Amino acid sequence: MELLKAQLDKVGEGGVLGGEEAFRLYDTFGFPLELTMEIAGEQGVKVDEDGFRKALEGQRSQARAAREQVDAMHAGSASALVAHLPGTVFSGYSSFSDSGKILALLDGKQHLEQAEAGENVLVVLDKTPFYPEGGGQVGDSGMIRGGSAVLEIETVSKSEDVILHHGKVLEGTIKPGDNVTAEVGARRRDIQANHTATHLLHNALRKVLGEHVHQAGSLVEGERLRFDFTHPQSLSADEIQRVEREVNALIAADLPVDCREMSMDEAKKQGAIALFGEKYGERVRMVSVGDVSRELCGGTHVTSTARIRGFKILAESGIGAGLRRIEAVSGNGSVTCQ
Ligand SMILES: [Zn+2]
């Protein structure tokens, strides 16, 4: 607080606090932008909001690039290293926390006998509630704890049937054979809301634009969702509004979301939508939202549509001949985002 006051004194009444400074206050000292603006306002100082957002976005893309580099390095050699391990049991459809045993630790190049505080590691458990990146849904983040050891997990991927937790040891020492508790972070709630919202969006687009609409790609994150689909021209403002209204009506109707495994034949009989280019086995998982939507999907979902709370389309654009892209938010994002 003292620091902010000193900076505001320096700027002086009627001046503007730079976006970089506001961002440093947020990033290093945890001052939310709204608070900085409020206090600055009391002293007649404006805050460069655009500059703040630019600095925030810059930091995010830097972090993303660094992570992708590490991931690519890890994933390449890791798949050969874990090929002999049994497939990981995924327990995260119904639970955010589970106990498990460490089967292997890797640094990306080799197996480790142990890992200490400060080390980046790939962790393989016998079972885990962490969802590995797949089907458009991003990997979970969260914590793994065992004995006196604490690991922060940044993301989770899959190599064949083995789930790889990408993380860092924060405290203590871990080794294969240790019993641990794996806890998925709260971001998963937003991811689930966005994933079910994606199915509702798919359904609404087919209803408003026509049955020629097919999913061409999808990204489901905690903050937002992106949906690519086949359609020959851009959407009118009226069409966007109708799609939004359709999705929000289904949210308000509080429809149950039911996920069930069945044979491919049974799913086809029930009219489930399969995604073009996806490989499906003999047993498939069908996600139904009330009577309105049935899709083959391995992702995680809310239990009823009311939990999505709200849906808003942020942007619609063309990404190639006959392909459109919608970016949208649900849940808290749709309420705070204008
Ligand atoms: Zn899905």
Side-chain angles (χ1 to χ4, degrees), residues 135 195 199 295-299 301:
H195 199 147
H199 286 209
E295 285 192 37
L296 300 187
C297 174
H301 290 270

Side-chain angles (χ1 to χ4, degrees), residues 35-293:
L35 182 65
T36 303
M37 285 172 64
E38 198 183 312
I39 297 170
E42 284 165 9
Q43 300 197 21
V45 173
K46 285 206 172 106
V47 178
D48 175 9
E49 278 182 74
D50 284 345
F52 174 89
R53 296 222 160 77
K54 252 181 226 153
L56 179 67
E57 189 41 50
Q59 192 211 40
R60 280 189 183 156
S61 58
Q62 252 178 26
R64 214 178 295 137
R67 207 181 316 135
E68 278 165 9
Q69 216 176 11
V70 172
D71 283 353
M73 191 189 80
H74 273 167
S77 44
S79 43
L81 290 168
V82 300
H84 66 286
L85 293 171
T88 314
V89 175
F90 175 66
S91 61
Y93 283 134
S94 51
S95 142
F96 279 38
S97 170
D98 201 359
S99 57
K101 182 183 264 202
I102 297 181
L103 296 186
L105 285 176
L106 304 105
D107 67 358
K109 293 190 221 86
Q110 58 188 0
H111 282 271
L112 301 174
E113 280 173 19
Q114 62 169 50
E116 289 170 15
E119 283 187 69
N120 288 307
V121 283
L122 292 174
V123 185
V124 179
L125 303 175
D126 58 347
K127 63 179 159 71
T128 182
F130 281 76
Y131 181 82
E133 187 174 348
Q137 183 175 329
V138 296
D140 279 331
S141 53
M143 307 297 277
I144 291 179
R145 293 171 219 269
S148 61
V150 181
L151 278 89
E152 183 171 25
I153 302 304
E154 244 184 70
T155 190
V156 179
S157 64
K158 208 169 174 183
S159 170
E160 300 295 333
D161 288 335
V162 178
I163 295 177
L164 297 164
H165 305 77
H166 304 231
K168 186 177 192 168
V169 184
L170 298 183
E171 287 170 34
T173 305
I174 50 159
K175 55 184 187 319
D178 282 358
N179 291 313
V180 294
T181 304
E183 282 163 48
V184 175
R187 186 176 65 134
R188 166 82 88 75
R189 286 178 214 285
D190 297 332
I191 296 173
Q192 296 193 156
N194 277 337
H195 199 147
T196 309
T198 299
H199 286 209
L200 296 183
L201 170 62
H202 190 183
N203 175 73
L205 287 169
R206 288 169 71 93
K207 192 165 172 187
V208 172
L209 303 177
E211 299 278 307
H212 62 277
V213 168
H214 289 285
Q215 175 168 338
S218 157
L219 175 69
V220 180
E221 298 180 312
E223 298 78 27
R224 63 177 61 200
L225 64 95
R226 202 176 72 199
F227 189 75
D228 300 342
F229 58 100
T230 50
H231 186 59
Q233 74 256 8
S234 65
L235 272 65
S236 67
D238 177 58
E239 285 170 331
I240 288 180
Q241 218 178 47
R242 276 160 61 202
V243 169
E244 265 182 358
R245 230 181 272 149
E246 177 69 25
V247 174
N248 280 312
L250 296 176
I251 292 171
D254 196 12
L255 301 172
V257 180
D258 180 52
C259 308
R260 239 182 310 160
E261 265 203 24
M262 58 184 70
S263 69
M264 188 61 167
D265 284 348
E266 177 61 25
K268 271 189 193 151
K269 222 180 284 168
Q270 296 207 25
I273 296 179
L275 301 183
F276 183 74
E278 283 278 321
K279 278 189 238 133
Y280 296 102
E282 179 43 37
R283 301 287 296 172
V284 293
R285 185 166 178 268
M286 185 175 83
V287 175
S288 326
V289 184
D291 283 333
V292 298
S293 157

Side-chain angles (χ1 to χ4, degrees), residues 271-331:
I273 296 179
L275 301 183
F276 183 74
E278 283 278 321
K279 278 189 238 133
Y280 296 102
E282 179 43 37
R283 301 287 296 172
V284 293
R285 185 166 178 268
M286 185 175 83
V287 175
S288 326
V289 184
D291 283 333
V292 298
S293 157
R294 289 197 176 96
E295 285 192 37
L296 300 187
C297 174
T300 65
H301 290 270
V302 292
T303 50
S304 73
T305 58
R307 288 174 184 259
I308 304 172
R309 290 186 289 174
F311 174 81
K312 180 141 193 66
I313 293 176
L314 301 176
E316 191 272 337
S317 61
I319 53 163
L323 282 182
R324 311 298 304 176
R325 166 170 290 178
I326 278 180
E327 287 172 72
V329 284
S330 76

